[in-house]
Amino acid sequence: MTTANDISNRIMEAVMAQKLAPGSRLGEQQLAMLFDCSRTIVREALTRLSTRGIVTVSARRGWYVVEPSEHEAREAFEARRVIELGLLHQLKAKALDKAALRQLKLHLQREKAALAGTDVGLRTYLLGDFHVCLAECLGNALLADTLRDFTARTTLIAMLYQSSHDAAQSCEDHVRIVEALEAGDIARAELLMAEHIGTVQAALRLQASTDPLAGLRDALAPVAPVASAASAASAPSAPDTPDMPAATAAPAKRRSRTRSPSRSTPSPSDDGSVYLGALL
């Protein structure tokens, strides 16, 4: 029997795999049909995700995946930086055991295999889950759960603000962090983690302006006046240039008649509807 925990876990996986975009609507009836359970169980799962900051509810729209603001995006990265660097810092009092290193190396192998494959969702999920895996290997299950929520939020942020960060570079960063941990160089691991999180954050297309009216100000800026057809007709024509050969003038006329290509038909990925199929 499907439980609320099963549903919330599947939604989290879909978010971390970038299969559920920010703002995707999560209909209770649709989810109940997908998971063959009651709407009560679905509502319980969505309520849990709401307390974790992954989904939100509107009286008119229902449940939908959160769309973090720029301020929330910065806060999420700051929180991750504090948690992950703090976890590494506490390692200075003890060494990372061999079992934890084996688990991290196994995760890196899966990352590399996903990069070589074609499953983009799996690749994205594993790159984000590395940080959760690291927290688990460091022996703090509570912070691992917290970090999973923040990682999911930063995944949504990367989608919303069109991150340009390279997946292969992320994997390479993870490899270097694990190498530093294996060598017992915790200070270097901290530095590499700080650089990695900073690089991922810098790849976001966040506006530098702190003006809360910036978007509205740009939208309502005066539009440049367009000359009317009458004024264009009355405007003096350019003087003739007898020295110009007729052959050189013809291409310009032909170019003026060339029509610009029409806009292509939107692809299915342009559709704003929820990708509930990602959950199954």
Side-chain angles (χ1 to χ4, degrees), residues 31 34 47 76 83 85-86 104 109 114 117 154 177 196 234 239 242:
L31 289 171
L34 281 172
T47 301
I83 293 172
L85 296 186
L104 286 171
Q109 290 177 6
T154 51
I177 291 169
H196 172 62
S234 61

Side-chain angles (χ1 to χ4, degrees), residues 50-171:
S50 177
T51 61
R52 296 166 65 180
I54 305 302
V55 305
T56 187
V57 64
S58 168
R60 294 188 177 184
R61 293 179 58 193
W63 299 94
Y64 57 96
V65 180
V66 296
E67 298 179 90
S69 66
E70 292 184 20
H71 176 70
E72 290 170 331
R74 293 187 179 94
E75 285 190 334
F77 277 97
E78 288 172 5
R80 279 190 56 183
R81 189 176 288 106
V82 170
I83 293 172
E84 299 194 55
L85 296 186
L87 282 169
L88 290 173
H89 187 74
Q90 60 89 30
L91 262 183
K92 290 182 178 179
K94 60 176 183 179
L96 191 64
D97 60 52
K98 294 182 179 180
L101 279 172
R102 282 197 300 270
Q103 186 173 345
L104 286 171
K105 289 182 177 181
L106 178 60
H107 195 285
L108 291 177
Q109 290 177 6
R110 296 177 64 196
E111 282 187 26
K112 293 175 182 178
L115 282 171
T118 58
D119 191 336
V120 178
L122 176 61
R123 178 191 70 191
T124 305
Y125 174 82
L126 289 172
L127 289 173
D129 194 54
F130 168 81
H131 299 269
V132 181
C133 179
L134 178 58
E136 291 173 341
C137 288
L138 295 179
N140 197 315
L142 180 60
L143 284 181
D145 289 340
T146 303
L147 192 56
R148 180 177 289 105
D149 295 344
F150 280 119
T151 302
R153 286 177 68 83
T154 51
T155 300
L156 291 171
I157 289 164
M159 298 175 69
L160 188 60
Y161 295 103
Q162 303 175 15
S163 173
S164 60
H165 190 62
D166 181 57
Q169 182 60 53
S170 275
C171 182

Side-chain angles (χ1 to χ4, degrees), residues 194-206:
E195 290 178 350
H196 172 62
I197 296 175
T199 301
V200 174
Q201 183 177 2
L204 302 175
R205 296 182 182 179
L206 295 175

Side-chain angles (χ1 to χ4, degrees), residues 203-224:
L204 302 175
R205 296 182 182 179
L206 295 175
Q207 296 179 1
S209 173
T210 57
D211 181 6
L213 300 179
L216 188 61
R217 195 186 310 279
D218 291 342
L220 298 182
V223 179

Side-chain angles (χ1 to χ4, degrees), residues 220-237:
L220 298 182
V223 179
V226 180
S228 63
S231 61
S234 61
S237 59

